[in-house]
Amino acid sequence: MSKIYSTPPTLNRERRFPDNMQAAHALALKAKQGRKGNRTGERYALPAFNVTNIQGINSAFTAFETLGSSGLMAFSNSALKHMGGGDPLFGLEVASDYVARKAARSSVQVATHLDHGDYISEQGRRVVQAAVSALTSVMADNSTDKVNKAGLPLEDNIGYTREVVNMAHPLGVSVEGELGVLAGEEDEDTKSDVSTYTEPDELARFLRETGVLMLAPTIGTMHGANKGRPGHKVKLNIPLAHELLKIADGINDEIIFVAHGASTMYEDVRDYAVEQLEALGAPFDGTAQTWKDFVGTDWEQIKGLIGAGFCKINTDTENRQTFLAALLGAVNKNAAKVDIRWYEKQMWDAVSASYIQKLIMAGNYGVWHEPKIDVEQFVFDLHSV
Ligand code: 13P
């Protein structure tokens, strides 16, 4: 049982993580304040890239180091299970050790984050507790009971989240809470059919009583590849986002909002995938239609959120789409290439380019050193990756 504090413990900023690692909050705060090197300019955002294996981590580092970006790699429970051969706790060891070794040789500062950790289920608790020791940031997603698939009362969400803050903040590990329910499906951990907006009336209480410095409010984003009806633009509740920002800034202007479901989906990637599926022929006609029907969130809407303090933007689906599109391209290029490394390289080079594209869009470059490429001239095109 963690120590009970009369008020939530503040984040221990004296904690020095080894090897070019920082709490996610420290990197996101730099972004909210527009700090790069010793200059202060426009606000930018910290994309949180969900990674699921060693290649994903390598691709993320390639992108961060190409641009001199602040980097954030997020691991979901199911990603950790995947990395650990079925055991998320072993996956956590593998992921955190590998990132630490990469970070020690890196030119940039990075953070590691547990995505959608919950403190409700036995298994969820075990993973969150281990993540507080192994990573630099954790999400305590207690707005929904994932086992019983039901929203949790505010008191319970506050209670569970506060327990995580009590444990993590004294160690300098930042905590992200969630208030409201986000719809959509990213993987088995994040499936919900309904979405409820964050209630402004509940926000101040949640922030004060939990002490979190990062919060995912729900303002209309969704997880997954089908965020809206094909042919229609997804509309987020930007006025609500600004209303929430005013309340949060009134409590502590270092609070960072987090946009889950921030994948915009690159139209060129979709077109490339459709082109590859059409080249594969008739059996893939239905799959080509499925790709055409995917709907991401408009980047203009995400930019609106960044303006409202959403400086951590979670993108998973669009990078998975890039991976899959590149796999289809690799099959079309050479389906007789009996070499796993060649296939993997095609996919992960593409994902690296996808990360670079998002970091440029988010304004997250030149933070730790000048970019090694001309960001104005960068073109993300799977034909040339
Ligand atoms: P997307 O499904 O839009 O990539 O969202 C990912 C996410 O929110 C991870 O927490």
Side-chain angles (χ1 to χ4, degrees):
M1 186 72 187
S2 52
K3 185 174 165 191
I4 303 297
Y5 294 80
S6 53
T7 53
T10 53
L11 181 65
N12 174 3
R13 295 174 207 230
E14 301 301 307
R15 163 86 188 267
R16 290 285 162 261
F17 291 99
D19 303 333
N20 296 321
M21 300 198 56
Q22 297 209 18
H25 178 262
L27 299 182
L29 183 60
K30 260 176 106 67
K32 186 177 181 190
Q33 296 173 340
R35 286 186 283 122
K36 292 181 176 182
N38 44 25
R39 303 181 307 278
T40 300
E42 272 182 39
R43 172 175 293 171
Y44 59 97
L46 181 68
F49 296 130
N50 282 78
V51 286
T52 53
N53 64 15
I54 299 292
Q55 272 70 34
I57 296 170
N58 287 341
S59 283
F61 270 97
T62 299
F64 303 146
E65 290 165 1
T66 300
L67 295 171
S69 305
S70 281
L72 177 53
M73 285 153 285
F75 302 90
S76 67
N77 272 293
S78 52
L80 293 172
K81 212 160 138 189
H82 177 70
M83 287 189 84
D87 176 358
L89 297 179
F90 182 57
L92 195 55
E93 284 179 37
V94 174
S96 57
D97 279 5
Y98 190 75
V99 171
R101 283 166 193 269
K102 281 290 284 187
R105 307 153 64 106
S106 183
S107 59
V108 298
Q109 304 273 313
V110 300
T112 47
H113 179 75
L114 174 68
D115 195 25
H116 292 288
D118 80 271
Y119 213 61
I120 304 165
S121 65
E122 264 305 300
Q123 175 66 8
R125 281 178 168 242
R126 270 199 292 272
V127 174
V128 170
Q129 282 160 352
V132 164
S133 308
L135 306 180
T136 70
S137 174
V138 294
M139 179 176 187
D141 172 7
N142 301 309
S143 63
T144 318
D145 179 343
K146 292 173 192 62
V147 178
N148 297 311
K149 307 258 178 273
L152 224 64
L154 179 65
E155 281 69 27
D156 293 350
N157 186 358
I158 290 175
Y160 286 127
T161 305
R162 174 65 185 276
E163 280 191 57
V164 178
V165 170
N166 286 350
M167 184 170 51
H169 271 190
L171 298 174
V173 172
S174 48
V175 179
E176 172 184 330
E178 179 166 306
L179 190 58
V181 178
L182 191 82
E185 179 174 10
E186 185 190 354
D187 57 28
E188 68 212 44
D189 299 324
T190 54
K191 183 167 164 40
S192 171
D193 297 331
V194 290
S195 167
T196 56
Y197 284 144
T198 298
E199 289 286 340
D201 291 349
E202 296 182 349
L203 179 67
R205 179 171 169 209
F206 186 87
L207 291 172
R208 285 207 178 92
E209 295 186 16
T210 62
V212 292
L213 288 176
M214 300 196 295
L215 177 74
T218 47
I219 33 70
T221 57
M222 279 178 84
H223 287 126
N226 297 96
K227 299 186 194 298
R229 274 187 303 145
H232 292 77
K233 288 195 183 250
V234 174
K235 198 154 168 32
L236 306 179
N237 196 337
I238 308 283
L240 174 62
H242 280 281
E243 189 182 342
L244 298 174
L245 176 69
K246 221 161 138 190
I247 297 169
D249 275 353
I251 293 171
N252 179 351
D253 64 5
E254 297 195 345
I255 289 167
I256 306 294
F257 284 160
V258 179
H260 280 252
S263 276
T264 47
M265 176 161 136
Y266 301 112
E267 285 181 11
D268 289 354
V269 171
R270 180 194 54 205
D271 294 348
Y272 179 88
V274 169
E275 192 185 309
Q276 300 308 319
L277 288 162
E278 283 170 355
L280 286 166
F284 294 93
D285 287 352
T287 316
Q289 189 56 47
T290 304
W291 269 88
K292 287 178 191 167
D293 289 345
F294 285 155
V295 178
T297 308
D298 244 34
W299 177 246
E300 283 307 308
Q301 298 273 303
I302 301 294
K303 262 179 33 193
L305 289 185
I306 297 172
F310 285 70
C311 290
K312 173 173 176 278
I313 53 173
N314 291 9
T315 57
D316 185 8
T317 303
E318 67 187 16
N319 303 312
R320 295 182 188 201
Q321 287 167 333
T322 300
F323 180 98
L324 184 49
L327 171 61
L328 294 168
V331 170
N332 271 323
K333 261 186 239 163
N334 196 344
K337 184 92 182 164
V338 189
D339 186 342
I340 292 169
R341 288 161 303 186
W342 181 81
Y343 271 96
E344 286 198 342
K345 184 147 171 37
Q346 309 285 308
M347 277 116 61
W348 288 109
D349 282 356
V351 174
S352 219
S354 178
Y355 289 155
I356 288 175
Q357 177 68 69
K358 187 47 44 91
L359 289 162
I360 293 174
M361 288 163 78
N364 183 344
Y365 52 85
V367 179
W368 301 104
H369 55 75
E370 289 306 314
K372 295 177 186 162
I373 57 168
D374 182 346
V375 296
E376 305 291 332
Q377 299 300 321
F378 178 75
V379 179
F380 176 37
D381 179 0
L382 290 185
H383 294 96
S384 55
V385 168

